[in-house]
Amino acid sequence: MTTATPHAIPDSGELNAIASATAAAVDANPAAAVAVFTAHAEPTGRVGSDIALGPYRVSVDEPPALGGEGSAPNPVEYYLAALLSCQVVTYRFWAQRLGIEIDSLNARAEGDLDVNGFFGLDETTRPGFQEVRVAVEISGPATEEQYRHLQEVVDQHCPVLDLTVSPTPVTTTLNVAD
């Protein structure tokens, strides 16, 4: 079985080499296309948690206004960090793939969260962000048209952006210990 790719992967560049090696591995074994990522959480403090992500650990907390101690970023701030870091990675991979040079790249995001949803004060208000705005600043020798095309490709291939704009099935299981 051959994996169809929308764009040929150029031979040059370290990121293109990673993409080519991945394409070859998936071509040889289509099941290799699926990577499983895991996380494990345990509560800490009043509303915080410690999260294990493979060999890494991150702490999560809420600001005092939301019952926390403000000792770490809150979950929606981590979401913004995940979105921005995924955008940056995706820009870098696809810029190399498309042969578009980048001299500088930075991104920022902000989201509007109405706490009426989280606290159940208004059941018609969703508990997540009502809107997220991402602003990317990019510069280099390419044309504005090339950078706009790059943005379109990035938005089509960014996994964390996809998690936001496309429904992702989530199954939760509760196991009650004796």
Side-chain angles (χ1 to χ4, degrees):
M1 175 179 177
T2 302
T3 303
T5 55
H7 305 283
I9 302 171
D11 292 334
S12 64
E14 184 178 347
L15 300 179
N16 285 332
I18 292 168
S20 290
T22 301
V26 170
D27 192 39
N29 176 12
V34 178
V36 176
F37 296 91
T38 62
H40 176 81
E42 293 184 0
T44 184
R46 189 173 25 224
V47 296
S49 51
D50 283 333
I51 313 293
L53 306 164
Y56 308 104
R57 294 193 72 78
V58 296
S59 294
V60 179
D61 199 5
E62 292 287 351
L66 295 177
E69 299 166 17
S71 65
N74 70 22
V76 295
E77 290 169 321
Y78 273 113
Y79 160 77
L80 293 176
L83 176 59
L84 289 179
S85 62
C86 195
Q87 285 271 295
V88 167
V89 167
T90 308
Y91 265 94
R92 295 173 81 184
F93 262 95
W94 279 94
Q96 189 170 100
R97 180 121 168 228
L98 297 172
I100 298 173
E101 190 176 326
I102 295 174
D103 289 341
S104 71
L105 173 68
N106 67 67
R108 69 182 187 296
E110 62 183 12
D112 304 322
L113 187 114
D114 185 336
V115 297
N116 281 303
F118 174 74
F119 286 112
L121 304 175
D122 179 352
E123 294 300 325
T124 64
T125 301
R126 65 182 289 201
F129 282 126
Q130 280 67 51
E131 181 181 10
V132 173
R133 293 169 297 283
V134 176
V136 176
E137 188 174 302
I138 193 167
S139 69
T143 66
E144 182 174 340
E145 182 179 308
Q146 289 173 303
Y147 289 131
R148 296 219 179 274
H149 175 66
L150 175 60
Q151 177 193 12
E152 290 173 11
V153 172
V154 167
D155 287 351
Q156 292 170 356
H157 295 92
C158 178
V160 177
L161 180 61
D162 178 70
L163 289 171
T164 302
V165 299
S166 301
T168 301
V170 176
T171 303
T172 60
T173 303
L174 175 65
N175 298 311
V176 180
D178 292 331

